[in-house]
C-alpha cells in the first residue's frame, strides 16, 4: 500500500497535490511519501522476530531525509561504502545500528568503520579478514565481524541483481567458512559474532531464500559446535515488491517473517535484516512533464523531461514502472499505445515500451511509479542533465530534500588544464 492516489481528478502524495509540488520544485523531481516509509517499515518490523535489527540498505535511497525518517522509527543502516557510512551517521543513525557490507572494502573504509564503532563488519574474503585484523591491531581495538557466506543458491531474479550463486563475486564459499572462522579465532583483534547472507534483490519467490537460510542455519550450528560464539545472523535484504498493477504480488513480509521464524526456531541468535527496496520502492514516484508527443513511422512516442539518467532501471534491468497521468483521465478517454521516452540520445532511453496510455499532450505531468528505490540513488548527469531534486511529503507538508544543482556548479567541477590554455 502507498499514499499516492487521485483526489477530485488530481494525483496526490499524502495530502499534497503533485501539481503544487511541481510548481515549486520544477520538473522532473522525485517525490517520497513519509507515510509510506513509515508503513512499510512498521509492517516489516512487526513481521520479523522482536529484537531483530532492521538495518535499512542505504544504497536503495540514501537521501538524508529518508535515512533519518527511518532512523527515527528505530531503523539501523546497512552501508557499503565510506560515503554511505557518512550518510548514515549524518542522518543520525547510531553506530551501534550500522552494518558494513560489500565485497571490496578499502583500508580507508575499514578504518572509518572501526573509528565509528559500528555494530558489525561483514567480511567477504580471507584477505579482507587479514587486513581488518591488521588494522584493528594497529588501532589497539577489536573488530566485531560476521562472515558473509555465498550459499550457492539461485535467487530466481534478474541476473544482474543475483548475488548468491557460486559464480558470483559475493561472500565466502560455504565449504571455506569453518577454516576462515578458525583463522578469525586466531586473530586476537577479531570477534567473530555471526554469519551473513544476501542472495539477490527483487526476489518474488520465498523458496530460494528458504533454501539459503536453511544452509546458513546448518552452518551456524557447525560453527557453534566448533566453539564459536555465534550470536547474530544477518539475512540481508532482497524481498521483492509489486511493480506491475494487476500482477501476482510477491510474498508479503508476514509470509517472509513466518518462514524466517520457522527456519531459525530454537537457535539463540539475534537476526539482522537489510531491506532496501521493500521499504522505499513504492514510497517514491518520479514526476515528469511531457515535452512533446511525436508520431514515428511505426510507433508513437511520449517524450518526457525525465530520462534514463534519472531512472536507469528500465534500461539496465528491463524493469517495468507504471506510468500514470497526474490529471486523472476522463472516463471515456481514448487510450492508445506509446513508448514513453526521455530526451537522451540512446534508444535505451525508453522508460516504458508499448504502454497503453490515456491521451497526453505537451505540458502534461506524469508520474512514474515505484521509483523510490534505486531511482535517485542510481541517477547520473549523463547528457549533462542535472540530478533531479527530491521532495518529501508528510501530510499537508512537503519539503525539497535535495536541491537541483546549478549548471555553473556542474561545470565548475571540471578544469581546463594550463597546457590547454
Ligand atoms: N544487503 C546487501 C548486501 C545488498 O547487496 C543489497 C542490495 C541489499 C541488502 C538490499 O536489497 P533489497 O532489499 O533492496 O533487495 N539496483 C538494483 C538492485 C540492486 C541491489 C543490490 N544489493 C535494482 O534497481 O533493481
Amino acid at each position: 500500500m502507498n499514499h499516492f492516489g487521485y483526489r477530485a481528478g488530481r494525483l496526490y502524495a499524502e495530502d499534497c497535490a503533485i501539481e503544487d509540488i511541481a510548481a515549486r520544485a520544477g520538473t522532473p523531481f522525485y517525490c517520497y511519501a513519509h507515510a509510506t516509509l513509515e508503513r512499510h517499515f512498521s509492517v516489516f518490523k512487526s513481521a520479523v522476530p522482536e529484537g531483530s535489527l532492521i538495518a535499512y540498505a542505504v544504497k536503495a535511497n540514501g537521501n538524508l531525509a529518508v535515512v533519518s525518517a527511518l532512523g527515527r522509527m528505530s531503523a539501523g543502516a546497512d552501508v557499503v561504502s565510506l560515503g554511505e557510512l557518512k550518510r548514515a551517521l549524518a542522518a543520525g543513525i547510531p553506530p551501534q545500528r550500522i552494518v558494513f557490507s560489500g565485497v571490496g572494502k578499502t583500508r580507508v573504509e575499514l578504518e572509518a568503520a572501526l573509528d565509528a564503532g559500528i555494530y558489525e563488519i561483514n567480511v567477504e574474503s580471507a584477505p579482507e579478514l587479514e587486513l581488518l585484523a591488521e588494522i584493528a591491531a594497529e588501532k589497539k581495538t577489536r573488530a566485531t565481524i560476521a562472515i558473509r557466506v555465498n550459499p550457492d543458491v539461485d535467487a530466481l531474479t534478474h541476473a544482474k541483481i543475483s548475488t548468491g550463486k557460486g559464480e558470483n563475486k559475493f561472500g565466502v564459499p560455504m565449504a571455506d567458512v569453518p577454516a576462515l572462522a578458525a583463522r578469525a579465532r586466531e586473530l586476537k583483534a577479531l570477534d567473530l559474532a555471526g554469519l551473513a547472507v544476501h542472495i539477490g534483490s527483487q526476489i518474488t519467490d520465498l523458496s530460494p531464500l528458504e533454501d539459503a537460510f536453511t544452509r546458513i542455519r546448518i552452518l551456524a550450528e557447525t560453527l557453534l559446535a566448533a566453539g564459536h560464539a555465534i550470536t547474530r545472523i544477518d539475512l540481508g535484504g532482497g524481498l521483492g515488491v509489486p511493480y506491475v498493477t494487476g500482477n501476482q504480488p510477491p510474498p508479503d513480509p508476514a509470509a517472509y517473517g513466518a518462514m524466517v521464524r520457522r527456519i531459525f526456531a530454537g537457535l539463540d541468535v539475534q537476526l539482522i535484516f537489510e531491506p532496501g527496496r521493500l521499504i522505499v520502492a513504492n514510497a517514491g514516484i518520479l514526476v515528469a512533464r511531457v515535452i512533446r508527443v511525436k508520431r514515428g513511422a511505426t510507433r508513437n512516442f511520449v517524450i518526457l523531461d525525465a530520462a534514463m539518467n534519472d531512472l536507469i532501471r528500465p534500461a539496465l534491468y528491463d524493469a517495468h514502472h507504471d506510468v500514470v497521468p497526474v490529471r486523472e483521465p476522463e472516463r471515456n478517454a481514448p487510450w492508445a499505445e506509446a513508448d514513453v521516452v526521455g530526451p537522451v540520445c540512446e534508444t535505451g532511453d525508453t522508460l516504458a515500451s508499448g504502454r497503453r496510455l490515456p491521451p497526453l499532450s505537451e505540458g502534461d505531468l506524469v508520474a512514474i511509479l515505484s521509483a523510490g528505490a534505486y531511482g535517485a540513488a542510481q541517477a547520473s548527469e549523463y547528457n549533462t542533465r542535472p540530478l533531479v531534486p527530491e521532495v518529501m511529503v508528510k501530510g499537508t507538508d512537503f519539503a525539497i530534500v535535495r536541491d537541483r544543482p546549478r549548471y555553473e556548479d556542474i561545470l565548475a567541477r571540471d578544469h581546463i588544464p594550463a597546457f590547454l590554455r
Side-chain angles (χ1 to χ4, degrees):
M1 190 198 144
N2 61 54
H3 296 79
F4 300 99
Y6 292 111
R7 289 189 195 171
R10 300 283 190 274
L11 187 67
Y12 274 68
E14 300 193 32
D15 302 322
C16 294
I18 294 298
E19 288 175 350
D20 294 343
I21 303 174
R24 171 109 71 86
T27 58
F29 65 93
Y30 277 97
C31 177
Y32 310 129
H34 184 273
T36 310
L37 290 177
E38 200 161 41
R39 180 180 154 77
H40 289 177
F41 186 79
S42 67
V43 164
F44 190 81
K45 188 173 174 165
S46 52
V48 298
E50 219 173 296
S52 299
L53 171 63
I54 303 173
Y56 165 66
V58 172
K59 65 171 79 64
N61 187 323
N63 188 286
L64 290 183
V66 170
V67 181
S68 127
L70 293 167
R72 293 163 68 110
M73 301 170 210
S74 81
D78 161 48
V79 303
V80 294
S81 68
L82 180 54
E84 285 191 359
L85 175 60
K86 286 179 183 289
R87 275 191 185 277
L89 294 170
I93 306 285
Q96 310 76 25
R97 300 207 300 246
I98 299 178
V99 172
F100 203 139
S101 306
V103 70
K105 299 178 214 78
T106 63
R107 170 177 266 274
V108 168
E109 288 175 324
L110 293 171
E111 284 176 354
L114 287 178
D115 291 343
I118 68 169
Y119 193 53
E120 157 180 318
I121 298 174
N122 291 345
V123 169
E124 298 212 20
S125 64
E128 185 189 352
L129 187 96
E130 298 294 333
L131 175 62
L132 180 58
E134 184 185 309
I135 299 170
E138 278 165 22
K139 290 186 177 290
K140 301 198 173 14
T141 181
R142 291 171 69 89
T144 305
I145 64 161
I147 296 174
R148 171 152 173 199
V149 181
N150 182 322
D152 193 18
V153 167
D154 186 345
L156 307 177
T157 182
H158 193 284
K160 287 188 181 153
I161 53 174
S162 193
T163 54
K165 288 199 277 185
E167 70 209 50
N168 299 136
K169 68 180 173 184
F170 301 96
V172 175
M174 298 266 297
D176 299 349
V177 173
L180 196 63
R183 176 66 184 142
R185 182 154 46 192
E186 283 170 16
L187 295 165
K188 292 287 161 266
L190 299 184
D191 259 326
L192 174 62
L195 296 175
V197 66
H198 171 81
I199 62 168
S201 193
Q202 186 54 17
I203 298 171
T204 53
D205 179 347
L206 286 182
S207 52
L209 288 167
E210 178 161 355
D211 192 1
F213 295 170
T214 305
R215 292 174 195 218
I216 295 305
R217 165 151 195 168
I218 293 168
L219 190 54
E221 282 175 353
T222 307
L223 295 188
L224 282 163
H228 295 284
I230 300 300
T231 55
R232 327 167 168 173
I233 296 187
D234 180 342
L235 297 178
L239 204 51
V241 303
Y243 278 101
V244 188
T245 321
N247 266 19
Q248 170 86 8
D252 66 9
Y256 170 84
M259 178 271 283
V260 165
R261 285 166 201 272
R262 183 157 42 75
I263 304 289
F264 292 97
L267 194 68
D268 186 20
V269 291
Q270 179 196 33
L271 295 178
I272 302 174
F273 298 90
E274 302 172 350
R277 190 190 310 268
L278 184 83
I279 307 292
V280 288
N282 287 308
I285 62 175
L286 173 60
V287 179
R289 202 176 283 282
V290 176
I291 297 177
R292 189 163 297 124
V293 177
K294 173 175 170 176
R295 220 173 250 290
T298 61
R299 304 171 81 87
N300 293 327
F301 300 100
V302 176
I303 306 169
L304 303 182
D305 62 1
M308 66 187 292
N309 68 297
D310 305 309
L311 178 66
I312 200 156
R313 302 197 64 259
L316 200 53
Y317 317 110
D318 305 307
H320 173 104
H321 288 266
D322 280 344
V323 180
V324 302
V326 166
R327 294 217 171 167
E328 193 172 16
E330 306 281 327
R331 203 172 281 276
N332 296 317
W335 288 49
E337 201 168 283
D339 285 0
V340 180
V341 302
V344 164
C345 307
E346 294 194 19
T347 299
D349 183 23
T350 300
L351 295 165
S353 175
R355 209 51 82 67
R356 289 202 57 83
L357 294 167
L360 284 168
S361 38
E362 186 177 326
D364 287 351
L365 291 172
V366 300
I368 300 161
L369 306 186
S370 313
Y374 308 109
Q378 287 188 274
S380 77
E381 287 176 346
Y382 186 38
N383 278 207
T384 310
R385 295 168 43 83
L387 292 180
V388 307
E390 296 170 82
V391 173
M392 182 179 281
V393 172
K394 186 168 188 287
T396 55
D397 274 354
F398 71 86
I400 294 181
V401 296
R402 176 182 289 169
D403 299 326
R404 192 187 304 277
R406 299 177 316 150
Y407 286 105
E408 304 85 89
D409 296 333
I410 294 175
L411 298 189
R413 295 198 304 249
D414 294 6
H415 305 289
I416 299 174
F419 56 74
L420 290 180
R421 285 197 205 115

